[in-house]
Amino acid sequence: MLNNTISKLKNKKILLVCKERTSFTMYFLGKELEKNNIVHYFFNHHADVFEKNNFNEGTFFYFKKKINNENIHDVKDIYVNFLKNRKNININFRRLEEIKKKYTFFNGLNKQILSSQFISTPYHDLNFFPPTTYEENLYWLILNYDKAEHLVEKIKPDFIFDTETGEIQRTIINEIAHFNKLPYINLEDSRFKNFIVPSFTLGVKVDKYFSDAYNKNRNDIDNKYLSEVENYRNQSKIMPDIYIGQRASSYDFSLWETIKFILFKTYKFIRYRLYAIKENNKEVPFNTPFNQHPIKKIFWNYFLAIRKFYLYSKLNKYFEIPKDEKYVYYPLHYIPESSTYIKAPMYMNEISTIQAISKSIPINWKLYVKEHQSMIGERPLKFYKEVKKLHNVKIVKSNFYKDPKPWIEKSVCVITITGTAGFEAAMLNKPVIALGEVFYNVIPGVKIANSFNDLEMLFKQIETDNLQTDNTIDCAAYIKTINEVGLPFSPRRLKELSQKKINLKNLDTDEEKQLENLVNQIKIFYEKSINIYENSK
């Protein structure tokens, strides 16, 4: 199968989507693909291209030095137009109507607008993003559709490759690619070990090829995949390896760490400002839409560190120790991230989600809310104050257990939007309710709530054991499917090595071999994905 796809990845036009740190990966992938193809690069984030700074000198401006500039595309021109016209916007509603008719297969235009941290400000607490007006949002949407349409028409790519899902330009390209029957291939985290699988929908829905392969595999299970499920259940810890050593697996924050964090952020802020002065950058005003306000951002980081220290201290009055009682386990999400504003935009406000669950669970149950380790310190304390008002809800001490397994095993069930906890619960044979779109939804034991109104019925089914069946075969079929269509791969490691190679211009011998191997692996992944796409048409 792979030999057939390798021959197809020659003499093609390929568009690589680049944004911030994903650009490091795309540089080395692009250089490999350029051996046999014409490769174009699209920098879809205006902050990467508008003014040279400490960071983008290793991304966009590095590309400009090393790659044929005719093959590098960006959104600087439309951002300049936005700044020029934003005080006197006249919305072209005829153009909006045209866009709506052609490009709302996956999401309506209001949801598409929300697919960016910069524009979805009413739904999260990052106050260093200046709020935008609705007219500005619509104008930015039209400008980006005009740009993306022109780009696709000009290049006429055979394939579009990407590694991430967040940002409005990706949402727009996703719609345009679908309309033109053009494969836009992205990585989807399977949530099992480090397997990735292809998505042709930006992850906003489970691709049909995947559900078809899964349903087929449920009737043809090998013993090795049954053993994988049993081994998983017998593990003392189930924290995925990709999170070990990251913020998601950090369970303490001392006073010294607080001071170091504040000093490091201050150093970065000063370094960034000095670089701007040195380059004589004509930066946009602080309160310009779609840009971080640097002064607000540095103070936000200071308060983050202080809140984080407080929440890990004995003074914390919001987090409680769990008790021996029936509870529904709801781990909070990292917000704002694509796991919500791309895959589940209806559930970005987690206060309303918690309130809905609180209203729906049986009278003798509690709802245990656990903060995402990476979010500790990022939310304002008023969030926890609001949750504490609900009498059947507890915010549990996030480091009481230092692995997800005991939280899940001791629960009655797990409810999540799109989190890894849903897959972990399914693997541990616990009932799961999912609110958003995620690939493990194909497992029959994962029940999808299409709205808050579904919750009470689903909790009643769980209470009467109507959902409690052995799902070993179902989980084994999932593992078999991701082995067939996916690849064990670490996008994070490729990103780290690529960044180090560009910024430090030096890797040791082992790292050079790792980088070469990872670039080859991601190339194989896209080759395999092309074959899957063409066979599923």
Side-chain angles (χ1 to χ4, degrees), residues 37 39 74 463 487:
N37 306 275
V39 180
D74 62 77
E463 185 180 30
L487 199 72

Side-chain angles (χ1 to χ4, degrees), residues 319-328 364-368 388 391 393-397 400-401 406-407 409-412:
F319 295 3
E320 302 181 50
I321 293 175
K323 296 182 178 180
D324 183 15
E325 57 189 343
K326 289 185 176 181
Y327 67 87
V328 175
N364 59 330
W365 292 8
K366 291 289 192 295
L367 172 60
Y368 277 14
K388 288 280 285 184
H391 294 161
V393 179
K394 291 182 179 179
I395 310 170
V396 290
K397 192 175 181 182
F400 186 81
Y401 301 118
W407 289 115
E409 283 191 325
K410 295 180 180 183
S411 72
V412 178

Side-chain angles (χ1 to χ4, degrees), residues 149-183:
E149 274 190 335
H150 174 74
L151 185 65
V152 171
E153 177 60 30
K154 177 183 177 182
I155 297 173
K156 292 183 170 57
D158 297 291
F159 311 113
I160 303 174
F161 296 162
D162 203 347
T163 60
E164 291 192 1
T165 58
E167 203 49 63
I168 189 171
Q169 290 85 1
R170 286 187 169 112
T171 295
I172 288 170
I173 294 172
N174 188 33
E175 294 283 353
I176 293 173
H178 176 80
F179 180 82
N180 289 285
K181 297 181 172 56
L182 171 63

